[in-house]
Amino acid sequence: MRLAFILGEIGSGLRRNITMVVSVILVTFVSLTFVGAAGMLQLQINQMKGYWYDKVQVAIFLCSDGSTAAGCATGPVTPEQQENLKTLLASPAVAQYVNDFQFESKDEAYKHFKEQFSNSPIVDSVTPDQLPASFRINMKDPEKYQIISETFSSQPGVETVIDQRQLLERLFSAMNAASLVAVSIAGVMIVCAILLIATTIRLSAFSRRRETGIMRLVGASKIVIQLPFILEGVIAAVIGAALASGTLWAVAHFFLGEYLSKQYPDTAFISPGQTLILAPALLILGGSLAGISSLLTLRRYLKV
Amino acid sequence: MIRFENVTKVYNQTARPALDDVSLEIDRGEFAFLVGASGSGKSTFLRLVLKEDRASSGAVYVAGQNVAKISSWRVPRLRRGIGVVFQDFRLLPQKSVFANVAFAMQVIGKSRSVIRDTVPEVLKTVGLEGKENRLPHELSGGEQQRVAIARAVVNRPGILLADEPTGNLDPTTSMGIMGVLDKINQNGTTVVMATHDDDIVNEMRKRVVELKNGIVIRDEAKALYTSMIPVVGQSRRLKDASGRDEAQPPALEDRDPGTGEEQR
């Protein structure tokens, strides 16, 4: 009976206050979408780390015609220099850090380049001569890059040593910055949502002050008087959180899954299923924010 | 049933107390009028019984319990034992007569079947049978007050507090309301009624407690609105009291429950 009564009170409260309730739903929706977007970026970073860190290599680029580096004073790399480098790579001092390595000739480099940029016009203007040959090294421990770099940078015939991981780090730090921005916006929006929930609950308590006054007088418990108001705020916020979760899922499914993954087939994007990990967190966050702000408002404006 | 022991209530430190060292006892099943001018402390008395306010000093006992010692989560239980009726009825305008009375039972968790049985019975007691489905604005003032009384007693409280229940009603209707209150009193409920209505007090011939400036100046059984006996013992204290500042506590009916911003 009491439960039915409380549910009825919630229903009438939501109906009477419909415009405010809609605005609470929208504000929590937007703020939690930003929170979720930050979460998705982090998931994506982890995903890409896992995917790329297995594949990235340290590349030793060899001198070619136009090279200006100090090691290239003798012109393009000679077969002896190339053989020396190969021996050095196989020597125990270096081999302990190396899983395996391959030589990539100019022609192979051109082939890979064509594959990677197949839909870009730049392919037509590049010839195999312009691309340097290289040794591709799979490290046992990618952190030991420095050792390879020190050993090979000064060798004759080596133009430069590049750690592909550093290129990725740059991408990841950009993504981290983006998720930080999303979190900051979310923070401002959450403050907005809390204030709006407080105002809504206050209005709701005011518009039902006759009822609550009588409830007090006939000895209704604090829970029966306050719970409808608190649940009103919580329900609105949870609806907003559900909308936010739905939006994130839709972004993962339609934008990442159907669009971006076709544009960049070698990139591992997060699956829509993974965004569902975020949904419970958003629901709990939205619900508890609303619950706490309603409770504090009621302590001030609805004495029992 | 209600006992005040040297109760003083000060709303504002600079003004005179709203109640000044009041001691009095109202027994179970009694019917007592609380009379006195506005600001004499009648409403403060009722508020202290309901634990809407705390006494500044002294102790208030309701049904044997010191209300100051009741923890806040048990205050609802105290209030379930007390029915309250106001001058302005305080009905819910969008609810029918039946729903208004049923509301008081719903919010304390009574089952639907109990409500269905009890409400018509109580409406009969107050003389409203056949009007269950009317809305408050379709009723006369006297009928609205009967609904309010029905709501106050539907949970069978031991005490009924009435704060000028006939203040908005004409003399004939008022007598009808008094009949209802008398009937409730005869069923064993203690009734305390604050009033200005001298006709009613003179007609009923019940106990009269007269307050002036927060002091009990008369407590007489089967009395009239104004006393014929000169008050001897209290006269000197009275002179002191009336010489002080005339600060008035807000009347009970002016306070809107629910908003409660600075009032509570």
Side-chain angles (χ1 to χ4, degrees):
Chain A
M1 188 63 215
R2 229 183 292 203
L3 183 70
F5 174 77
I6 289 174
L7 290 178
E9 286 287 297
I10 294 170
S12 78
L14 291 174
R15 264 198 309 280
R16 274 200 223 180
N17 241 346
I18 189 72
T19 48
M20 291 298 278
V21 169
V22 168
S23 60
V24 168
I25 290 175
L26 292 181
V27 169
T28 44
F29 163 46
V30 173
S31 55
L32 293 179
T33 302
F34 275 106
V35 173
M40 262 173 79
L41 277 167
Q42 290 302 325
L43 284 177
Q44 180 65 47
I45 290 171
N46 284 338
Q47 180 97 346
M48 287 171 95
K49 275 187 179 161
Y51 180 79
W52 284 109
Y53 278 5
D54 289 342
K55 304 198 171 175
V56 291
Q57 297 162 323
V58 174
I60 301 171
F61 286 104
L62 305 180
C63 298
S64 58
D65 287 330
S67 302
T68 51
C72 297
T74 54
V77 68
T78 62
E80 300 94 85
Q81 285 172 342
Q82 200 174 305
E83 205 51 43
N84 283 343
L85 291 170
K86 203 170 172 180
T87 326
L88 190 55
L89 273 170
S91 74
V94 176
Q96 57 176 322
Y97 303 112
V98 171
N99 258 346
D100 59 52
F101 65 90
Q102 297 101 36
F103 178 70
E104 190 183 85
S105 70
K106 282 170 177 284
D107 286 331
E108 282 163 343
Y110 180 65
K111 214 173 88 197
H112 287 150
F113 183 83
K114 271 209 307 199
E115 275 169 15
Q116 254 179 318
F117 294 91
S118 57
N119 40 16
S120 162
I122 198 170
V123 171
D124 302 330
S125 58
V126 170
T127 63
D129 287 343
Q130 289 168 303
L131 296 169
S134 59
F135 283 104
R136 301 283 168 149
I137 302 164
N138 280 323
M139 303 288 294
K140 272 186 183 143
D141 176 3
E143 304 288 334
K144 296 277 164 46
Y145 153 76
Q146 210 57 38
I147 295 166
I148 302 292
S149 172
E150 274 164 19
T151 317
F152 287 93
S153 294
S154 53
Q155 291 292 323
V158 172
E159 185 180 12
T160 177
V161 181
I162 285 179
D163 182 11
Q164 290 180 324
R165 225 163 65 104
Q166 285 184 329
L167 300 177
L168 283 175
E169 291 295 348
R170 238 174 280 161
L171 175 65
F172 292 152
S173 68
M175 287 171 79
N176 266 326
S179 76
L180 207 65
V181 169
V183 165
S184 325
I185 296 175
V188 175
M189 294 298 293
I190 282 175
V191 171
C192 255
I194 289 172
L195 295 178
L196 191 64
I197 289 166
T199 313
T200 306
I201 296 305
R202 194 177 149 185
L203 270 180
S204 192
F206 188 75
S207 72
R208 273 188 279 161
R209 62 194 186 285
R210 272 174 177 276
E211 281 90 338
T212 50
I214 289 161
M215 286 160 95
R216 259 167 57 76
L217 278 177
V218 300
S221 65
K222 198 169 169 173
I223 290 173
V224 173
I225 298 177
Q226 293 196 335
L227 200 61
F229 294 101
I230 294 171
L231 288 183
E232 222 172 274
V234 170
I235 286 173
V238 165
I239 292 174
L243 286 176
S245 310
T247 306
L248 294 178
W249 180 87
V251 166
H253 185 256
F254 294 110
F255 183 68
L256 297 182
E258 311 240 304
Y259 176 75
L260 273 188
S261 65
K262 295 216 169 69
Q263 299 285 306
Y264 301 96
D266 352 327
T267 313
F269 289 108
I270 50 174
S271 68
Q274 278 177 286
T275 62
L276 295 182
I277 302 166
L278 294 169
L282 294 184
L283 292 174
I284 290 167
L285 179 66
S288 51
L289 280 179
I292 292 167
S293 74
S294 312
L295 201 65
L296 294 179
T297 312
L298 289 178
R299 271 174 53 164
R300 175 92 172 72
Y301 292 104
L302 183 77
K303 293 279 168 60
V304 278
Chain B
M1 201 64 177
I2 299 173
R3 194 163 88 243
F4 275 49
E5 283 179 359
N6 306 99
V7 173
T8 298
K9 174 65 192 174
V10 183
Y11 283 104
N12 183 336
Q13 288 298 337
T14 55
R16 67 162 180 79
L19 283 182
D20 193 353
D21 196 25
V22 169
S23 295
L24 100 111
E25 179 155 10
I26 294 167
D27 290 328
R28 185 180 296 275
E30 224 179 331
F31 193 122
F33 285 111
L34 220 49
V35 302
S38 293
S40 57
K42 304 192 295 292
S43 297
T44 301
F45 181 94
L46 299 182
R47 290 176 64 79
L48 290 177
V49 173
L50 282 168
K51 205 180 182 223
E52 298 259 9
D53 278 324
R54 299 174 69 98
S56 308
S57 68
V60 177
Y61 291 88
V62 175
Q65 261 187 309
N66 185 343
V67 297
K69 298 223 166 80
I70 298 175
S71 62
S72 66
W73 62 273
R74 285 186 128 158
V75 169
R77 194 185 292 176
L78 166 76
R79 292 192 181 140
R80 279 176 208 190
I82 305 172
V84 194
V85 180
F86 300 95
Q87 186 174 5
D88 59 354
F89 321 138
R90 301 218 182 145
L91 301 177
L92 301 174
Q94 74 281 16
K95 282 194 193 315
S96 70
V97 168
F98 183 93
N100 260 289
V101 178
F103 185 77
M105 301 185 80
Q106 283 170 348
V107 299
I108 62 168
K110 289 284 164 65
S111 77
R112 212 179 291 253
S113 61
V114 172
I115 293 174
R116 250 199 317 269
D117 293 345
T118 316
V119 175
E121 201 179 297
V122 173
L123 286 175
K124 199 172 159 211
T125 312
V126 300
L128 282 174
E129 59 263 76
K131 296 191 171 158
E132 286 88 347
N133 296 320
R134 302 277 194 92
L135 288 173
H137 70 262
E138 297 167 341
L139 299 175
S140 70
E143 286 169 331
Q144 290 187 41
Q145 190 61 290
R146 284 165 194 255
V147 178
I149 293 170
R151 183 178 65 193
V153 300
V154 73
N155 291 320
R156 312 216 175 285
I159 299 169
L160 179 65
L161 302 180
D163 194 11
E164 306 198 24
T166 59
N168 279 343
L169 305 174
D170 63 72
T172 324
T173 315
S174 297
M175 285 320 296
I177 293 297
M178 291 318 295
V180 172
L181 291 178
D182 199 30
K183 195 151 95 184
I184 288 163
N185 177 236
Q186 271 156 31
N187 289 340
T189 305
T190 311
V191 179
V192 179
M193 173 169 160
T195 187
H196 284 138
D197 198 329
D198 48 355
D199 285 346
I200 283 174
V201 178
N202 294 340
E203 184 80 25
M204 298 287 290
R205 286 298 186 125
K206 300 283 188 184
R207 179 178 174 187
V208 173
V209 176
E210 186 173 353
L211 289 163
K212 187 169 182 186
N213 295 332
I215 293 166
V216 178
I217 57 167
R218 178 163 66 108
D219 188 350
E220 229 182 318
K222 298 187 178 164
L224 297 173
Y225 186 78
T226 42
S227 175
M228 295 298 122
I229 315 157
V231 187
V232 185
Q234 300 260 12
S235 59
R236 227 190 62 212
R237 270 188 70 200
L238 236 194
K239 223 192 260 170
D240 290 350
S242 55
R244 278 181 252 169
D245 189 21
E246 284 279 316
Q248 293 183 359
L252 189 59
E253 65 270 16
D254 288 344
R255 292 166 180 234
D256 206 335
T259 54
E261 292 200 37
E262 65 284 335
Q263 292 123 340
R264 300 189 189 110

